[in-house]
Amino acid sequence: MSRRSLLVGSGKYLPARVVTNDELSSRVDTSDEWIRTRTGICQRHVADNGETCVSMAVEAARNALADAGLDASAIDLVIVGTSTPDQAFPSVAVRVLGELGTTGGYGFDVSAACSGFIYALSVADGLIRAGSARGALVIGSEVYSRILDWEDRTTSVLFGDGAGAVVLRASEPGEAERGILATHLHADGSVGDILYVDGAVGLREHSGYLRMNGREVFRHAVSKLASSVDEVLESVGLGYQDVSWLVPHQANIRIIEGVAKKLQMSMEQVVVTVDRHANTSAASIPLALDEARRDGRIRSGDLVLMEALGGGLTWGSALVRM
Ligand code: COA
């Protein structure tokens, strides 16, 4: 049987500082009740000045390697999904390689906004299947607090900072029943103006803010994610009843509930972190996955469905046998 990418570890990093809805209500005209009922968000983690996209990615990577029981020398590929890198270059991925002391590998960042982790996972899987990598770190790391207009109540209440990571390794003969079964990616540049940043991000100063037409993004998310989950299941001949866990991108509990309903899944089978993390963009899926692996919900053999939609628009899904 052909080579597959096995998911053998996960890790995370969340800034210590927690900002509650009530704290935000003292800065902009909003309320805990409005934010909770429209989004399911109760709080978010926010990076302090010493926490960067790279530093959070490195911590998540170390945490994931420890979980996998692997040394950094087992990694020859790092891909970071991020739309908030600290610098134009070097990439976050290459800086992670440097911090881990890995000199034999290669790495790069993937910019696909909130779909960044699904995109990065898909690319890493392709490289592993092709024999171009044996061990990969796939990381989502984001500091959206640095691209938020904190005066804008329609966007500032929705996002948080953090990083999540997974370790992939090429299967050995006989192991190929597990691993990444399928990934599907999509993009539609014609609706890029409903969710975008009007500049770039940097360590020193703001040069761009996130802008969004929330209602339009919501409408696209519900329809595109519904077809995306069908597509990935159909591609491997599996049905809704085969899915053990949905690990969705964490943007809004109402979007998550919509996808769960479409999949005829109980919310007991859905991993939800949006209440505590808010939307951490490319970091949200690996953060949620790590939580559910560590607390024992997701176990070996489970079929995990992941999906995300983000600015671009970009969207996609991944199906993994743990
Ligand atoms: N606090 C209080 N009121 C707010 C508010 C806030 N934080 N943000 C917006 N409002 C107001 C609006 O100004 C509007 O007031 P008006 O009727 O007087 O004009 C009212 O609430 C309704 O706004 P609307 O945008 O229609 O609300 P909504 O029900 O669509 O919910 C979102 C807004 C953003 C929560 C929702 O559209 C959403 O979740 N969209 C998807 C966003 C997303 O997930 N983006 C990331 C994708 S990766």
Side-chain angles (χ1 to χ4, degrees), residues 45-99:
H45 293 254
V46 174
D48 71 21
N49 289 340
E51 288 166 317
T52 66
C53 187
V54 169
S55 75
M56 296 196 301
V58 169
E59 291 303 319
R62 290 201 171 113
N63 195 222
L65 284 169
D67 180 52
L70 291 174
D71 187 77
S73 60
I75 299 301
D76 49 15
L77 169 66
V78 175
I79 307 182
V80 179
T82 186
S83 37
T84 49
D86 306 317
Q87 298 163 275
F89 65 85
S91 66
V92 179
V94 171
R95 293 206 39 210
V96 169
L97 279 164
E99 292 288 330

Side-chain angles (χ1 to χ4, degrees), residues 24 28-32 34-35 37-41 113-115 144 152-159 194-195 210 212-219 221 249-255 279 281 308-311 313-314:
L24 284 184
V28 287
D29 183 15
T30 190
S31 66
D32 177 53
W34 192 96
I35 301 170
T37 53
R38 302 282 174 134
T39 70
I41 296 165
C114 297
S115 312
Y144 266 47
D152 176 8
R153 68 176 182 173
T154 69
T155 53
S156 61
V157 303
L158 302 177
F159 296 91
I194 64 170
L195 179 53
L210 183 146
M212 181 177 70
N213 178 335
R215 264 188 218 181
E216 274 300 291
V217 173
F218 195 99
R219 195 175 63 77
H249 169 50
Q250 311 278 325
N252 183 313
I253 192 69
R254 292 187 291 147
I255 297 173
N279 181 347
S281 191
L309 174 135
L313 289 180
T314 56

Side-chain angles (χ1 to χ4, degrees), residues 186-211:
H186 294 279
D188 179 357
S190 72
V191 280
D193 61 350
I194 64 170
L195 179 53
Y196 65 100
V197 179
D198 60 7
V201 67
L203 274 177
R204 281 186 211 92
E205 61 193 30
H206 278 291
S207 53
Y209 289 118
L210 183 146
R211 308 292 180 198

